[in-house]
Amino acid sequence: MEEYFQNGISWNGVPSGHTEECFPTESVQLQVAELPDRLTEPVAYHLRFTFSDQDKELNCLQDKQFIARCKAIHRNLIQELRKLDYMYQDRYTSGFETKNKKGETTRAHFHLVYYSVKNSDSMRRKIKRYLADTYDQEVNGNKALMFKPQIVRSKTELWRYPIKQHFDPSLCNGFASDELKIMHECAKESYLKTVQINQAKADKADDS
C-alpha cells in the first residue's frame, strides 16, 4: 500500500461482473493529511506494519508457526485498538500480505485503515508501545511501521486497499458480508492488474 498511497498509483478499469459503482474509474490519489492537535471530524488513518523477526531469505514464510504468530499479533493489535475506541463507529478493514506490487514475495506485513477522532501522535505512540512491549517487535523507522493520516479522494479505494491479497472477514468490521466480498474481488483484480503492468515495465527495462 505504501506505493499506492505515496506515489498515487491509480487503479482504473471495472472488474468483470461488476459495475462502475463497485469499481470507479476516475484517477485516485491519496495524500498524507496535516492535522490540528484536536479533531472535530473523523480523519482516515493508514497503518502498515512489517514484522521484524524475519530472515533475509524469507524462509520464515514457510513456517506455519511463524505465520500463525504474525496473524495473532495482527488480530490482537486490532482488538487492542478497538478497546481504546480508536476506530470511529468501530469500522475498519485490514489484511495480511506477503507480496509486493510486482507480485514478488516480500516480508510479511499487514495494512489497517480506519477513521478516528483521536490524536494522531497518541495513537502512534500507543501502537508502537503495544507491539514493542508485548511482542518485542521493531517499530522504529518507516519501513517497520508507517502510521499516517490520509487525505481521502475515494473512500471506496481506501477501504478496499488492505484486502487486495489475503481476505479474512474477521479482520474487518462495519461492512455487510456481501459488501466485503465484492470489495475484495475488486481490490484483488485491481492488484493483479497492477502486478501485470509492473512486470511488463520490468520486462521492457530488461530488454532495453
Side-chain angles (χ1 to χ4, degrees):
M1 187 170 190
E2 62 274 17
E3 298 86 6
Y4 180 86
F5 282 99
Q6 293 175 355
N7 296 333
I9 294 175
S10 173
W11 285 4
N12 298 325
V14 181
S16 57
H18 300 298
T19 66
E20 291 192 5
E21 291 183 358
C22 162
F23 196 84
T25 57
E26 69 271 16
S27 178
V28 176
Q29 291 187 340
L30 299 184
Q31 302 171 7
V32 176
E34 295 182 4
L35 301 178
D37 292 334
R38 300 185 64 175
L39 305 179
T40 57
E41 296 293 334
V43 170
Y45 289 90
H46 167 216
L47 167 67
R48 184 198 68 240
F49 176 68
T50 301
F51 299 93
S52 58
D53 44 351
Q54 304 185 58
D55 61 289
K56 185 176 180 180
E57 293 75 20
L58 298 181
N59 293 320
C60 57
L61 299 183
Q62 306 303 318
D63 185 340
K64 292 182 179 179
Q65 290 186 339
F66 170 79
I67 295 298
R69 180 172 183 270
C70 289
K71 291 184 176 181
I73 294 173
H74 180 187
R75 190 179 304 277
N76 292 342
L77 174 65
I78 290 175
Q79 294 309 312
E80 179 69 14
L81 301 187
R82 293 182 74 186
K83 290 178 184 177
L84 295 169
D85 196 28
Y86 280 179
M87 282 87 155
Y88 182 71
Q89 297 181 336
D90 199 26
R91 198 178 202 206
Y92 55 89
T93 58
S94 192
F96 181 81
E97 298 186 356
T98 56
K99 300 290 184 180
N100 62 19
K101 65 178 182 177
K102 296 180 181 179
E104 302 165 337
T105 299
T106 191
R107 293 165 64 83
H109 61 283
F110 68 81
H111 296 276
L112 169 66
V113 297
Y114 63 91
Y115 280 77
S116 184
V117 295
K118 305 293 184 179
N119 180 272
S120 177
D121 291 337
S122 296
M123 287 192 291
R124 184 183 295 104
R125 286 193 297 268
K126 178 61 179 179
I127 291 169
K128 285 186 172 184
R129 280 200 304 267
Y130 179 80
L131 291 169
D133 295 348
T134 309
Y135 299 106
D136 196 28
Q137 291 288 303
E138 174 59 51
V139 295
N140 295 318
N142 195 56
K143 289 185 177 181
L145 188 151
M146 187 278 290
F147 178 75
K148 294 180 179 178
Q150 305 291 316
I151 294 175
V152 180
R153 305 194 186 283
S154 170
K155 287 186 177 181
T156 303
E157 296 291 336
L158 176 78
W159 291 123
R160 282 203 309 239
Y161 191 87
I163 55 176
K164 65 186 181 296
Q165 293 186 27
H166 301 284
F167 174 49
D168 183 347
S170 69
L171 296 174
C172 306
N173 199 58
F175 299 88
S177 177
D178 289 345
E179 184 180 8
L180 274 175
K181 289 179 181 178
I182 293 174
M183 288 165 60
H184 168 59
E185 290 170 3
C186 292
K188 181 178 180 180
E189 188 156 343
S190 299
Y191 169 69
L192 294 176
K193 179 180 178 181
T194 299
V195 168
Q196 291 177 345
I197 292 172
N198 288 327
Q199 288 178 342
K201 289 180 178 178
D203 292 341
K204 185 177 181 179
D206 290 339
D207 293 339
S208 62

